[in-house]
Amino acid sequence: MAKIDRAKTIYEAAIALPPERRTAFVEAQAGGDAELAAMVRDLIDATPSEGVTAIAPEPNASEDGTPAWPATARDGASEPVTLGPYRLLSKLGEGGFGVVWEAEQSAPVRRRVAVKIVKPGMDSASVVARFEAERQALAVMNHPCIAKVFDGGQTPDAQGARPYFVMELVRGDPITSFCDLNKLGLNERVDLMVRVCDAVQHAHTKGIIHRDLKPSNVLVQYQDGRPQPKVIDFGVAKAINQRLSEKTVFTDRGQMIGTPEYMSPEQAEMSGVDIDTRSDVYSLGVMLYELLTGALPFDSRSLRSAGFAEIQRIIREVEPPKPSTRLSGRSGEAPPERRGPINRDSATRTLRRDLDWVIMRCLEKSRDRRYETAKSLGEDLGRYLRHEPVQAGPPSVGYRTQKFLRRHRVGATLVSGVSLALVAGVIGTTWQWRQSERNRIEAERRLESIRGFSGDLLGALDRDLAGLPGGTGARRAAAEAAVQMLNELAEDEANASLIAIDLARAYRRASIIGAEGGAPLDQTVGRLREAISWAERAPLDASTNVELALAHASLGQRLI
């Protein structure tokens, strides 16, 4: 029995993967046990193809008039036609171990409901325990944005009793599809997520962590003229302060629970222990990212085509681009295509700052840096909608510098002397700057340090980097690193005007060095246009006029 249960557990994880990746996954999980691998492959081969709708036929009455089990349904699955007062009509969908049917309830009231039944042959102890846990999880919750559970029972003993439960029928679309199809604006999408956060917070107060929050598990439909979200499918939920089932639910070590695109770094560890409510906060952040940009933090095709260990590494270590950066296309990936009405340029400007800060706080690798609760996230989104300062705020300069150096090790090495001076200066002055009694003095020192760093970078381009090994290629890489570093510093509005003229010079010199190295014309022209844009933002003085004239002259030469 232990091997059978293990085979079904591996099957549940494998069936959620793309077909081309299942074989390698099964072999890895089986650990050389050929019999175990064969059992799992048999289960996968017996699984019907996705997208087939099964319509339950009319009941075959037995001699005593009791509805009998039908012959094989259209998709090959065998189910009872009726379960007490519930008559199954059509299959709505299925997961790793359960099938959901639309059904008609005849008593004590007539209504349409959803009935979820354990699949035939999947009624192992672990699956039944998890299924009963989901039923109990829904039963202890009472929130307008969480699907309600009405009833439960077992299928007829004659065919092998399997548990089922009856819940509210939700005829909505996944939240992302709903927003795009109904052309909801950015603020309407944020407002919708505020109510999703409230529902998840309700589950957390009941001691339930969802662990698989994603658009397909948040359905939305219009109710009384207003979009109404419903959180469904607590199938991999975890109880943090109560026992949800008489049977113990065991999570096998080494089994990935959840959906990789929406999975928190601690879930990707697959230890099965020490998962708390902040894991759901991470998933809410991914959904919000997708709702507002039309793209995921990590591209789904790239993620799922990677090896198992690489998926874990990406989730745990790789920093996703900010939403505004992803939407604008500055992340290096093509801007996402979207069906909604949001103008990309307008949305990019709106996302920058407040919503960037909120979402990136949700997506922190360290859960200690995320929002403590879903309620805190919802409250910060409410502040944004009311045009109040959000609590997320920008990360500290020292923290951003540390993250930057981790992302750009090669570029930082090219200007290591200068960047090390920046780290030392900024960390030291920022710490002192936070002391209220020296606020003004230390703020001035910090600005001087940034200006000095900017000037040092430009000087390095002209002097120190001229003799770098690799010639023009090395100078071009250094120029791009300088531009990128200055751009990140300029994200802070307090710094932007201060170093605008240096950014203009950096872009112009990057264009010149790029042209010497054979860079494409559109790239060198783009750098010069950026130089002009930044020069126009700088305080008007003689040096600014000179820089503007030089940039326009260089642009004219390129366009001749």
Side-chain angles (χ1 to χ4, degrees):
M1 284 299 294
K3 182 168 287 191
I4 293 175
D5 287 349
R6 178 61 180 155
K8 291 176 178 177
T9 299
I10 297 174
Y11 162 79
E12 291 172 33
I15 203 67
L17 298 173
E20 65 273 12
R21 292 193 52 232
R22 291 173 183 168
T23 300
F25 174 79
V26 170
E27 295 296 335
Q29 292 292 301
D33 189 330
E35 182 183 5
L36 176 59
M39 293 170 66
V40 178
R41 286 195 296 270
D42 288 344
L43 285 171
I44 293 174
D45 292 341
T47 302
S49 300
E50 295 181 359
V52 181
T53 302
I55 308 297
E58 293 298 319
N60 299 319
S62 58
E63 292 183 1
D64 61 1
T66 302
W69 283 53
T72 304
R74 292 184 186 179
D75 68 345
S78 177
E79 294 292 358
V81 170
T82 60
L83 296 170
Y86 308 104
R87 179 171 175 270
L88 305 188
L89 300 176
S90 62
K91 188 168 71 173
L92 298 174
E94 63 180 278
F97 60 87
V99 182
V100 182
W101 291 77
E102 181 177 350
E104 184 175 55
Q105 181 180 353
S106 58
V109 295
R110 293 187 66 86
R111 61 183 171 186
R112 292 292 177 95
V113 296
V115 178
K116 189 167 186 176
I117 314 172
V118 168
K119 286 182 179 179
M122 292 299 296
D123 49 343
S124 67
S126 62
V127 169
V128 170
R130 186 178 298 169
F131 192 87
E132 291 184 356
E134 179 185 359
R135 178 170 66 185
Q136 187 59 28
L138 288 170
V140 300
M141 291 182 283
N142 182 22
H143 191 279
C145 295
I146 296 178
K148 295 179 176 63
V149 64
F150 299 134
D151 195 5
Q154 289 189 319
T155 58
D157 289 336
Q159 298 294 327
R162 290 175 287 128
Y164 71 86
F165 64 90
V166 183
M167 56 188 174
E168 176 183 1
L169 178 62
V170 182
R171 295 189 181 278
D173 295 308
I175 187 168
T176 46
S177 301
F178 180 91
C179 289
D180 285 343
L181 291 171
N182 291 278
K183 302 185 184 303
L184 297 193
L186 187 142
N187 283 2
E188 292 174 301
R189 296 169 188 238
V190 172
D191 180 65
L192 202 54
M193 280 300 297
V194 170
R195 283 182 284 153
V196 174
C197 289
D198 189 59
V200 174
Q201 179 64 31
H202 176 79
H204 290 173
T205 60
K206 297 293 184 179
I208 310 298
I209 305 170
H210 192 290
R211 295 206 296 172
D212 196 23
L213 288 169
K214 54 187 177 182
S216 60
N217 283 339
V218 181
L219 304 181
V220 186
Q221 59 185 346
Y222 273 108
Q223 185 172 313
D224 299 326
R226 185 188 185 195
Q228 176 72 9
K230 291 279 185 179
V231 181
I232 64 170
D233 198 355
F234 283 77
V236 295
K238 177 182 179 183
I240 55 176
N241 60 21
Q242 61 180 305
R243 229 170 79 178
L244 290 180
S245 171
E246 290 302 314
K247 299 179 177 64
T248 302
V249 179
F250 292 101
T251 300
D252 289 351
R253 186 177 182 87
Q255 180 184 353
M256 187 175 279
I257 300 295
T259 305
E261 291 87 342
Y262 304 88
M263 184 181 297
S264 68
E266 56 268 27
Q267 279 181 275
E269 294 286 351
M270 300 193 311
S271 61
V273 297
D274 200 24
I275 301 296
D276 62 26
T277 56
R278 291 169 294 183
S279 187
D280 280 352
V281 169
Y282 182 95
S283 300
L284 288 169
V286 177
M287 280 202 295
L288 184 58
Y289 191 114
E290 186 176 10
L291 267 183
L292 303 186
T293 69
L296 287 160
F298 302 115
D299 179 67
S300 182
R301 285 175 296 181
S302 299
L303 190 66
R304 288 187 176 263
S305 64
F308 201 62
E310 179 64 6
I311 291 176
Q312 290 180 292
R313 188 196 68 80
I314 292 172
I315 296 172
R316 293 197 310 258
E317 299 178 13
V318 177
E319 295 290 344
K322 291 182 297 185
S324 61
T325 303
R326 180 69 179 87
L327 190 59
S328 69
R330 288 189 293 118
S331 63
E333 302 177 48
E337 296 294 332
R338 46 181 318 113
R339 297 190 299 270
I342 301 175
N343 176 274
R344 178 171 289 126
D345 293 335
S346 173
T348 300
R349 290 192 298 271
T350 305
L351 283 170
R352 193 172 292 140
R353 295 177 64 86
D354 285 2
L355 288 176
D356 269 349
W357 294 340
V358 169
I359 294 172
M360 297 309 288
R361 182 170 177 180
C362 294
L363 300 185
E364 287 283 359
K365 302 299 183 186
S366 169
R367 58 186 172 183
D368 291 336
R369 295 188 59 84
R370 295 178 209 149
Y371 289 98
E372 287 289 330
T373 63
K375 179 181 179 181
S376 300
L377 168 58
E379 288 174 344
D380 233 4
L381 292 175
R383 291 186 189 95
Y384 162 78
L385 292 173
R386 295 190 299 270
H387 306 290
E388 299 172 2
V390 297
Q391 295 296 310
S396 68
V397 175
Y399 178 70
R400 282 184 294 165
T401 302
Q402 180 185 20
K403 302 268 280 191
F404 175 82
L405 292 175
R406 287 184 60 187
R407 291 196 307 272
H408 305 290
R409 288 175 184 150
V410 175
T413 300
L414 289 170
V415 288
S416 58
V418 178
S419 60
L420 285 174
L422 171 69
V423 171
V426 171
I427 290 177
T429 57
T430 301
W431 174 257
Q432 295 172 0
W433 175 60
R434 289 181 181 274
Q435 311 306 311
S436 58
E437 69 276 9
R438 304 185 62 185
N439 184 63
R440 183 181 60 83
I441 297 173
E442 296 307 329
E444 290 176 358
R445 290 182 182 175
R446 173 176 172 269
L447 293 177
E448 289 173 4
S449 174
I450 291 171
R451 187 61 185 267
F453 167 67
S454 175
D456 286 346
L457 277 178
L458 294 173
L461 285 180
D462 288 339
R463 300 185 307 273
D464 304 332
L465 301 182
L468 275 177
T472 302
R475 295 188 72 233
R476 183 178 172 188
E480 293 298 329
V483 166
Q484 192 164 10
M485 286 181 177
L486 289 173
N487 262 313
E488 294 207 5
L489 286 173
E491 288 180 0
D492 187 334
E493 291 296 330
N495 299 336
S497 61
L498 187 70
I499 64 173
I501 191 64
D502 290 336
L503 256 169
R505 291 169 180 157
Y507 270 114
R508 183 171 60 83
R509 295 176 195 189
S511 173
I512 294 170
I513 294 170
E516 292 173 357
L521 177 63
D522 59 345
Q523 185 181 96
T524 58
V525 167
R527 288 286 181 256
L528 288 171
R529 293 191 192 280
E530 290 280 4
I532 292 170
S533 174
W534 278 105
E536 289 173 343
R537 294 176 59 179
L540 187 60
D541 57 25
S543 63
T544 300
N545 289 334
V546 170
E547 190 58 43
L548 264 173
L550 290 172
H552 278 292
S554 296
L555 181 60
Q557 291 175 351
R558 296 285 186 280
L559 294 178
I560 291 176

